[in-house]
Structure formats: C-alpha cells, structure tokens
Amino acid sequence: MDGPFPNKNHLGRLAIVLHAHLPYVRKHEKNSLEEDWLFQAILECYIPLLQVMEGCKKQDINNTKLTLSLSPTLLSLLQNKQIQKKFSSWIKTRIEFLTDLSDKEKVASEFLMRNIKNNYLYWEKCSGNLIERFKNLNITGNLDILTCAATHGYLPILRENPETVLGQINTAIRSHEVIFGSRPLGIWLPECAYYENLDEMLFSCGIRYAVLDAHGILNGSPRPRYGVYAPICSNKGVAFFGRDSESTLPVWSSREGFPGNPVYREFHKDLGWDLSPSELQKKGIPTSRPLGLKFHKITDNKALLDKKEFYVEDEAIKKVEEHADIYLLSRSKQLKNLTMSSSFDPLLIAPFDAELFGHWWYEGPMFIEFILKKSTNYSIKLTNLKEILLEKPNLQICDPSPSSWGQGGYHNYWLNDKNAWIVPKITKAGSVFVELCARKFNDDFSLRLLKQAARELLLSESSDWSFILRAGTTTELAKERIDRHLSRFWKLIDMIEKKTFIDYKFLEDIEEEDKIFPGIKIKDWQL
C-alpha cells in the first residue's frame, strides 16, 4: 500500500471485522440447550447489530462499514423455517419469566423487557429473515460478508487428508453462493488458523483474502515492511490482513478492557440460575441453565453474584459513549504516530467474535453504533476488507507464518491432552471418505448415502467441540456430539460397503436431523 491515499482527509483507516458463528445445533426436542445458544445470539447480537448498521447507514452511508463473516452452520440455522417458528415461543417464555418477577425486580428489568419486545418486533417485521437484511447491507457495500469453513473445522489438524480441508472450503463456498447469489472472495479461517501452503488451496477455490493474527503476518517471509498496518499478498495470490492488538485489546478483554466496567451488565448473573428446578420446569425448561435474562450490573469484579446491584441502563449508555470516544481517540493517536514515520495510508484491523457484541458484552452493539457515528470526528475512515482490495493497492509479496488467534498463538488450544483424542478419529474417517470419493458410484442410492456421510464427517470436524473440551464447559455435550456424528458416519459407510442391510429408518431420521448443505457435492473432496 505504497504512497499517500488520494485526496486524503483522514489519518488512516479502521476495519472492524466480526466473526459470527454457532455450531449446527438443530435438535428435535423442545427447549434444548443448543437452541438457547442460537436464540440468545439472535436476540442479543444479530438483531441489534443489524439495527445499528441500518440506522447508521441512513445517517452516513459512506462511513457505515463493517466486515462480517457468517459461518455456513449459522446461516443454515438462521434460514431453517422450523427453528424460526420456535423463536416466538422461546421469546414468549422469557417474557413470562420477567412478568412473574417481584415488583422490585420488575422495575430493575424494565429495560430488558423493553429491549426484548423491540427486538422481537424487528424479527416479526422481517418475518424472521435476518439473512435478507444482511444480504441487503452486503449489496450496498456497507457490509463485506465473508464465508468460513463449512462446519468451522480447524484446518491445520485436517491437513493429513488435504481433501478434507478442500471439502470444508468448497462446501462453504457452494453454500454461500446459494444463499447470497455470489461466490465469496473472502474467508474467515476458523480460529484464524493458518498452515504452510494453505493459501494455494484457498486460491484454487476462488478465495482471495483472509484475516490472520498479528504473528501470522509479522513472522512472515520476508518480514512485512508495514507490519500489520497494511495487507500482504502471498506468493500464491491471496491477501492477508493482520490483527492489530492495540485496536482489539480494549474491547475484548473483560479484565483490561471496557467490558469489565462496573456499570455494565453482569453476564454471569442470570435469572435461570436463581430459580428452582420446579419453577423452570413449570415453563418447560427441563434443567437449570441460563435463560438470557440478566438485569444486574458488574458492580465489582470481585463481588459474589448475590452481591451484584441492579443494572441502570442510562448509566451504562453514558459509559459506553465515553468508552467509544476513548477508543477512537486512541486509534486517532495511533494512526497519527504511524503516518509521522512513513508516507503510507495506515490500516488498523480489529477482528472480534461477533457474539462479543450484545451477548457477552451487552452494551457492545451500542459501542459499535457510537464508533460508526463518531469516527469521522477523530479523522478516522471506516472501511471493510473488500473495499480496501477494490482499490487495487500495491501489496508486498510475503508468505504468512503458521498461526492462530487462540491461546498460545498456534495450534495447542485445539491439540492438547483434553482433546487430542479427536484427531485420529476424524483423520481415520477422513481417509476412508476420501478413498470412497475416488470411486465411481453409478446408483443414486449409494450417492445418497455418501452425501449424508459427508455431512456427518463435516459435523464431526467442527472446532467447537475441541474448544469446549479444552475449556472444560459442557464437555459431555461436546463428546456426545463427536460420537454421534462419527457413529452415524461409520454406519453409513458400512451400508455403502457391505450393502447387506440398509436401515432406511436410520437414514431418514439423520437426513432430517442433520439437514444441512442440501447442495453438497462429492466432487468437492477431490483434488
């Protein structure tokens, strides 16, 4: 990105990149824990972010810019009509819980009741079709929508069978094209994980840019002249953008950053943990769990949950605007220092999990709103990744380094004593599947079995289960998910190979439950 920006009237540019993802959590039973994950994310994160983008676009279409990856599994859930129908009853149950509170708690939770109703009204106005709203923002150029690996597979641990990496990428691209009407050019690599020569496979699939953590860029060969403040281009022709830690730490860190402020909403103090099992069961909730109903503030990071004070919305709004100003002032100073030492247009890349904004940090969407509205006051131009590359900048040729944005910076979070047992299991399944894909099946039924085996293999490869096992949360659920998909995979393979007994009921049941990637193609696993 040599040379000054033409007609430059800003200090530099800021690209906020959000990664929206949930594992495929479709289950038949009512009020499942997995569907809670999705519905809470819809209510607290996806709808508020859409409202912020649409509102700010009306005020300033040219500076309302974000990059957003929508994982194929999340998109599959969002477009599922049966899941959409369940959302109404889920919301109704939450409203009933709030209605049953004591008078004192009702007053404290008024803001929550109002926001739930307003967000649900948005849902009804768009008939639950959030994807169409995202699509509209993509068409206008305000959003740059990236894809991800099909089921968020951690690609470095799939590399022993390169075809399985190819299957993850090609399936994602095919799904994205069906939903949005165009092939994606950018990808969010799961966990920003990169290994040597992955760019060659990305390029062959039509991917032209991705995001890496800082050390993936800084340890590149040769070392980039502008560090993480300009994208690089690999020898294979893929552009990579590096995460700037100064632009991300104040936002994602609950200890050192904004989200830990005492006036913000406390994430862990949830009504679901305070109610008795019998009170929950009266409204159809089978087990103790978070309900997404939180109306206390952090108060003090060291305070016990029963010592948390009630949330005061006006207090939080005032604080989040203050934090947005602090953030923008810091970015402005950072950009000014960068331009003093070099004549180039610096770029700050700030990637986050989308669910941080609204779900984990309740005030997060409001923070994004203030950033969109106030950035020009600080001589900062907001942009997205596609917009940058459309300018055809002169990028330095540089091969990135193996890396991830996980703890430790490389692959150890997804390959350790808690979850390493997964790798030989999915590697063996991948090897067998790749071998089968090389054969020619002339009958439609064998192809039907093979396609469902592909879905089960993809679902077993999800990095979410490895993450959960390492983190130590809901580990039984993670183990059950892996075992479930691999068990189904091997039963399908057995039916293909032996053809002695075809369990039609089993096949129909899993085709209905694991109803994902209807356009799946076996050729996508062939090099």
Side-chain angles (χ1 to χ4, degrees), residues 208-399:
R208 296 295 178 264
Y209 56 97
V211 177
L212 297 180
D213 207 327
H215 57 290
I217 301 291
L218 296 176
N219 293 335
S221 178
R223 186 178 175 87
R225 179 174 22 181
Y226 296 127
V228 296
Y229 306 116
I232 61 169
C233 183
S234 74
N235 277 287
K236 300 301 190 302
V238 179
F240 290 93
F241 296 83
R243 182 176 77 97
D244 171 43
S245 59
E246 286 186 63
S247 300
T248 54
L249 185 65
V251 179
W252 70 259
S253 175
S254 60
R255 291 185 179 181
E256 302 174 53
F258 305 139
N261 192 274
V263 305
Y264 289 148
R265 196 178 75 159
E266 171 61 62
F267 175 81
H268 299 286
K269 176 73 172 173
D270 189 289
L271 183 63
W273 297 125
D274 294 335
L275 296 176
S276 68
S278 61
E279 289 174 299
L280 292 169
Q281 288 162 13
K282 283 178 186 177
K283 290 187 171 60
I285 310 297
T287 58
S288 294
R289 66 176 66 168
L291 296 172
L293 301 177
K294 314 168 199 292
F295 44 90
H296 291 76
K297 59 183 177 180
I298 293 172
T299 312
D300 182 339
N301 278 310
K302 296 179 181 178
L304 298 174
L305 290 180
D306 61 355
K307 301 298 181 183
K308 302 290 184 178
E309 299 172 8
F310 286 134
Y311 183 78
V312 181
E313 188 178 37
D314 289 343
E315 187 180 40
I317 292 172
K318 183 179 179 182
K319 182 58 67 175
V320 80
E321 182 174 10
E322 178 186 322
H323 280 158
D325 282 314
I326 291 170
Y327 180 82
L328 288 168
L329 179 61
S330 296
R331 302 291 71 72
S332 179
K333 290 179 179 178
Q334 185 183 3
L335 290 167
K336 188 174 182 179
N337 289 336
L338 288 167
T339 52
M340 286 174 64
S341 60
S342 192
S343 60
F344 79 113
D345 190 43
L347 170 67
L348 305 178
I349 301 294
F352 306 96
D353 282 325
E355 291 77 21
L356 167 66
F357 297 90
H359 179 59
W360 297 102
W361 181 23
Y362 184 69
E363 298 77 14
M366 204 180 309
F367 177 82
I368 294 284
E369 182 177 5
F370 284 126
I371 296 297
L372 295 175
K373 288 179 176 178
K374 292 177 169 239
S375 57
T376 53
N377 298 344
Y378 293 86
S379 300
I380 296 171
K381 177 174 171 54
L382 297 181
T383 187
N384 55 47
L385 305 188
K386 186 175 183 180
E387 183 179 65
I388 294 162
L389 295 179
L390 283 175
E391 295 165 4
K392 298 182 179 179
N394 183 20
L395 303 184
Q396 182 180 352
I397 303 298
C398 174
D399 285 325

Side-chain angles (χ1 to χ4, degrees), residues 34-81:
E34 295 94 328
E35 282 187 352
D36 278 355
W37 297 349
L38 173 64
F39 292 152
Q40 287 182 30
I42 288 173
L43 180 69
E44 298 174 333
C45 176
Y46 309 143
I47 289 176
L49 284 174
L50 278 167
Q51 290 174 316
V52 164
M53 287 292 292
E54 291 169 349
C56 290
K57 177 189 165 188
K58 291 177 183 177
Q59 294 184 29
D60 185 355
I61 192 169
N62 295 318
N63 211 51
T64 300
K65 305 277 184 176
L66 285 178
T67 302
L68 174 69
S69 83
L70 292 166
S71 75
T73 48
L74 174 60
L75 288 169
S76 179
L77 295 168
L78 290 177
Q79 68 177 172
N80 185 283
K81 297 298 182 185

Side-chain angles (χ1 to χ4, degrees), residues 185-197:
L185 295 175
I187 190 170
W188 178 279
L189 297 172
E191 319 301 352
C192 295
Y194 182 81
Y195 64 87
E196 301 94 330
N197 299 319

Side-chain angles (χ1 to χ4, degrees), residues 77-116:
L77 295 168
L78 290 177
Q79 68 177 172
N80 185 283
K81 297 298 182 185
Q82 290 175 304
I83 290 177
Q84 288 177 9
K85 288 177 183 177
K86 291 182 180 181
F87 187 58
S88 297
S89 62
W90 187 90
I91 288 288
K92 182 182 177 183
T93 301
R94 268 70 194 163
I95 289 174
E96 288 175 357
F97 274 118
L98 291 178
T99 304
D100 291 346
L101 292 173
S102 67
D103 290 342
K104 193 175 180 181
E105 289 174 318
K106 276 184 185 177
V107 172
S109 64
E110 278 179 358
F111 79 97
L112 187 57
M113 178 74 90
R114 183 179 66 253
N115 290 342
I116 287 174

Side-chain angles (χ1 to χ4, degrees), residues 419-470:
N419 54 30
W421 60 268
I422 299 171
V423 179
K425 287 178 176 287
I426 59 176
T427 300
K428 181 182 177 182
S431 298
V432 170
F433 184 75
V434 169
E435 184 183 329
L436 277 174
C437 288
R439 301 186 201 173
K440 288 188 177 180
F441 292 92
N442 297 319
D443 63 297
D444 291 340
F445 189 71
S446 291
L447 192 59
R448 176 183 169 186
L449 291 171
L450 196 59
K451 285 183 176 181
Q452 192 59 37
R455 295 184 183 100
E456 302 303 334
L457 177 63
L458 287 170
L459 290 167
S460 74
E461 292 170 346
S462 169
S463 72
D464 299 280
W465 315 131
S466 296
F467 181 88
I468 289 171
L469 289 170
R470 172 62 178 80

